[in-house]
Amino acid sequence: MGNDDHRRRKTPCGFCMAVFKWIPVLFITAVIAWSYYAYVVELCIRNSQNGIAMIFMLLFYHLFLTLFMWSYWRTIMTSVGRIPDQWRIPDEEVSRLFRADSPETQKRILNNFARDLPVTNRTMNGSVRFCEKCKIIKPDRAHHCSVCSCCVLKMDHHCPWVNNCVNFYNYKYFVLFLGYALVYCLYVAFTSLHDFVEFWKGQLNASGMGRFHILFLFFIAIMFAISLVSLFGYHIYLVLVNRTTLESFRAPIFRVGGPDKNGYNLGRYANFCEVFGDDWQYWFLPVFSSRGDGYSYPTSSDQSRVSTTSPVQRYDAMGDTATSRLDGNPTDKLIGASPLDTTNHHHNQSPHQVRSTSVQPTQLLQVQPSSPYQDELNGRQEQLANGSTAAARSSPAECVVNGAAVYIDMTIGDHPLKGADPAKGSPRPANGDLPV
């Protein structure tokens, strides 16, 4: 169920341990088998007085039992997967790594090997994470499981009740298993409550051991339901915040930003879809529909760069998640950072100010009037160049911006207003006639 090269040797002791690890699974299976007999045979067939009620009870019971066992089976039998060879460090590089005389040298060797891998997680000293047992670069959110003897993608924890690691490939099945197990227990407890009360009143129709089967069925259903409520609720919380059990106890360390428990939090709906998929028809069925490949994941910093409002579009728009939370080191596959806008923005800038961001000292910026005034302005500029003071007085307004002369023609209308008395409300030329 993991990396073949790192499986433990098959010895008599190892065989005994392998059998021992299946005991919790056999226990759960035995309890389910007994509950099936107690509910179907003792409670429904031998004790039910209403045939129609018995049919509906058995119908819903088998529906919940099927979903429960289907999810449980998929959780147990789904492999943890195998890390591809591209993540494995060659033996000569491993020898160099172990012979390195300083942590900085080891860090440089690992970073050089991982320059083409989509890794954002780091160790405490900022180095790429490396598994000494598997001799591989650990993908993001992957950890080594000592029970499975391999590195597991998006490892949540190793669960003895399923004899498997809860990981990227079966986490959806595990959550559904908890949910359907809770529904199964609550349904059994609710439908057997009436017979449980009749038992204490001494009015139960069942006789002999059948009465005790119904009694213990109710107690065990309530006991398992209480334990499952907290466990299922906790994992629903982890799904909504996009966090594993290991990450809730030890936050992942990012190359940029350091430790951050919410580093993978994309929002509740996007987090839910990352585990259960985008198609709602498969949300509640134990079939694989999770997003991604298990090796790279979008981060909250990726989400902040995307302005789309739809969570599905936001997840897809992130594209290659290998570019998240990375710096300019080519080892980390950084997206090219956009240069900062260093322009000094003036919010109260006058509308008559003319500014150029690439003005050279020899440049002459001119405000071009409309074509009827082009000849007149050219003549005035020639007079100004010849040193004519009169032309200078009649020329457009002149100012210097960063060494560049700027001319603004303030002429109003087609012709100067002669004899216009402002007190009499002389009409003002239309704005469209302004040359500037």
Side-chain angles (χ1 to χ4, degrees):
M1 295 170 65
N3 296 320
D4 298 337
D5 298 338
H6 300 89
R7 288 178 177 174
R8 292 177 177 174
R9 296 180 60 185
K10 296 299 182 179
T11 62
C13 181
F15 178 79
C16 293
M17 288 298 298
V19 173
F20 178 78
K21 289 188 294 185
W22 284 99
I23 291 179
V25 177
L26 295 177
F27 172 76
I28 294 296
T29 304
V31 171
I32 296 173
W34 168 80
S35 68
Y36 184 86
Y37 168 80
Y39 190 90
V40 174
V41 177
E42 296 295 342
L43 180 65
C44 292
I45 297 179
R46 295 182 179 179
N47 189 57
S48 179
Q49 301 294 325
N50 190 332
I52 298 178
M54 179 188 70
I55 293 176
F56 279 100
M57 288 173 59
L58 291 176
L59 178 65
F60 286 103
Y61 174 82
H62 284 90
L63 174 63
F64 296 141
L65 177 63
T66 300
L67 293 172
F68 168 37
M69 292 302 298
W70 187 9
S71 303
Y72 187 47
W73 176 259
R74 293 300 301 270
T75 305
I76 295 174
M77 302 307 297
T78 300
S79 173
V80 298
R82 183 177 185 274
I83 308 297
D85 292 335
Q86 68 185 63
W87 297 80
R88 188 177 305 282
I89 299 181
D91 294 336
E92 57 273 12
E93 293 293 329
V94 174
S95 301
R96 287 184 53 204
L97 183 65
F98 289 154
R99 291 197 308 266
D101 54 357
S102 66
E104 288 299 324
T105 304
Q106 294 179 340
K107 178 180 178 181
R108 185 167 57 255
I109 295 174
L110 292 175
N111 288 347
N112 181 66
F113 181 81
R115 63 182 180 274
D116 295 326
L117 297 177
V119 288
T120 64
N121 291 167
R122 295 294 187 268
T123 60
M124 291 297 296
N125 64 356
S127 175
V128 175
R129 300 189 309 142
F130 170 70
C131 179
E132 297 182 358
K133 296 182 179 180
C134 297
K135 306 297 187 298
I136 64 171
I137 299 294
K138 291 182 180 179
D140 290 348
R141 313 184 81 173
H143 298 274
H144 185 87
C145 177
S146 58
V147 180
C148 296
S149 301
C150 65
C151 286
V152 180
L153 296 176
K154 194 184 177 182
M155 179 178 176
D156 188 89
H157 68 287
H158 186 90
C159 181
W161 299 107
V162 299
N163 190 28
N164 198 1
C165 266
V166 179
N167 62 92
F168 170 77
Y169 293 108
N170 67 351
Y171 187 61
K172 176 188 175 182
Y173 309 149
F174 178 76
V175 176
L176 290 178
F177 155 64
L178 295 178
Y180 287 129
L182 176 60
V183 172
Y184 175 81
C185 292
L186 291 176
Y187 178 81
V188 170
F190 178 77
T191 52
S192 62
L193 177 61
H194 177 267
D195 296 272
F196 174 77
V197 174
E198 294 294 323
F199 172 84
W200 290 107
K201 291 182 178 180
Q203 301 177 359
L204 188 64
N205 295 329
S207 59
M209 292 298 298
R211 303 172 58 192
F212 293 99
H213 279 295
I214 297 175
L215 176 66
F216 284 108
L217 178 67
F218 177 81
F219 273 121
I220 292 178
I222 289 294
M223 180 183 66
F224 275 95
I226 293 175
S227 61
L228 286 170
V229 163
S230 58
L231 186 59
F232 177 66
Y234 177 66
H235 278 278
I236 288 295
Y237 164 76
L238 293 180
V239 169
L240 296 180
V241 297
N242 204 341
R243 191 181 303 164
T244 65
T245 301
L246 292 178
E247 292 169 352
S248 65
F249 289 99
R250 185 176 61 185
I253 303 174
F254 294 91
R255 177 63 183 87
V256 177
D260 186 4
K261 283 188 176 182
N262 296 316
Y264 296 107
N265 193 343
L266 309 176
R268 292 183 178 179
Y269 181 77
N271 296 336
F272 178 86
C273 291
E274 185 170 301
V275 176
F276 288 85
D278 299 319
D279 193 345
W280 64 270
Q281 300 180 25
Y282 298 103
W283 282 356
F284 304 107
L285 294 178
V287 294
F288 186 80
S289 58
S290 302
R291 290 173 173 174
D293 56 4
Y295 299 99
S296 59
Y297 303 87
T299 63
S300 56
S301 61
D302 296 324
Q303 185 190 36
S304 64
R305 302 189 189 102
V306 182
S307 59
T308 55
T309 57
S310 173
V312 176
Q313 294 177 354
R314 178 166 59 247
Y315 189 99
D316 297 335
M318 291 174 186
D320 185 6
T321 57
T323 58
S324 59
R325 287 183 174 268
L326 301 172
D327 61 0
N329 192 327
T331 299
D332 298 327
K333 296 172 66 62
L334 171 69
I335 297 177
S338 300
L340 295 177
D341 184 8
T342 57
T343 303
N344 185 16
H345 298 279
H346 300 281
H347 299 286
N348 298 323
Q349 186 176 6
S350 171
H352 294 293
Q353 292 178 349
V354 179
R355 181 167 58 88
S356 173
T357 59
S358 60
V359 176
Q360 300 297 331
T362 59
Q363 286 181 323
L364 183 63
L365 302 181
Q366 300 182 10
V367 178
Q368 297 293 339
S370 56
S371 57
Y373 307 95
Q374 182 65 47
D375 296 337
E376 179 183 357
L377 183 59
N378 292 338
R380 292 182 182 181
Q381 292 175 359
E382 291 177 358
Q383 295 176 7
L384 180 63
N386 296 329
S388 175
T389 57
R393 285 193 299 268
S394 62
S395 65
E398 176 183 351
C399 62
V400 178
V401 180
N402 293 334
V406 179
Y407 297 92
I408 302 178
D409 193 344
M410 303 301 294
T411 305
I412 300 177
D414 294 336
H415 304 284
L417 297 178
K418 297 181 180 180
D421 187 358
K424 296 181 180 181
S426 300
R428 181 181 179 182
N431 290 338
D433 297 331
L434 294 176
V436 180

